[in-house]
Amino acid sequence: MKRTPVIKRLEIRYRDLDPYGHVNNAVYLEFFETLQFAYWRRLAENLGVELETGDLPGARHVVAENRVRYVSPVFLDDELYGAASISSVGNRSYTMEYELRVGKSFEEGELAAEGSAAHVFYDPEAGSSRPRPDWFLSAVAELEGVPEEDLLR
């Protein structure tokens, strides 16, 4: 992952484990969702707005695709950290990347999994995709610390 503007310690619960004692593969998507929400919170703070049911005003979205690459198992007593970053922004969508690491900190941790999700801006009243909000690209570029053109696809 090139950038890590949002890093969060993640809680591993007993119910997250599979019969072999490591975190079940489906739980990784829950970890990614937690990181996505942390990213939205950071964007909301930077913009000085409140989240609306987990989304920023005018930026409702749906997940169109998830990808997970499992590198090593995660166990109940592991210290797990995750990072989220938006790698690209389109006219109606964006791609968020995730990385999970086990260790004393994210920076010192060993890679456990990585993945990405394609998010499509969505208008629930129309039941269809919608253009990205005008403020989105500049807000993400500021949080990521890159020029807007570096995010455009």
Side-chain angles (χ1 to χ4, degrees), residues 66-139:
N66 279 308
R67 180 188 67 76
V68 183
R69 185 174 79 86
Y70 305 96
V71 177
S72 63
V74 176
F75 298 93
L76 181 64
D77 292 331
D78 285 341
E79 290 186 53
L80 182 64
Y81 292 86
S85 177
I86 291 182
S87 58
S88 64
V89 177
N91 291 328
R92 294 181 173 266
S93 63
Y94 66 93
T95 301
M96 185 169 278
E97 294 185 1
Y98 309 98
E99 200 169 284
L100 301 177
R101 295 184 185 186
V102 172
K104 295 292 180 191
S105 68
F106 179 82
E107 294 78 8
E108 296 176 19
E110 295 291 324
L111 183 64
E114 60 188 358
S116 63
H119 299 259
V120 176
F121 293 107
Y122 184 73
D123 180 345
E125 292 177 16
S128 63
S129 67
R130 57 159 289 185
R132 76 169 180 259
D134 293 337
W135 54 265
F136 187 79
L137 180 59
S138 60

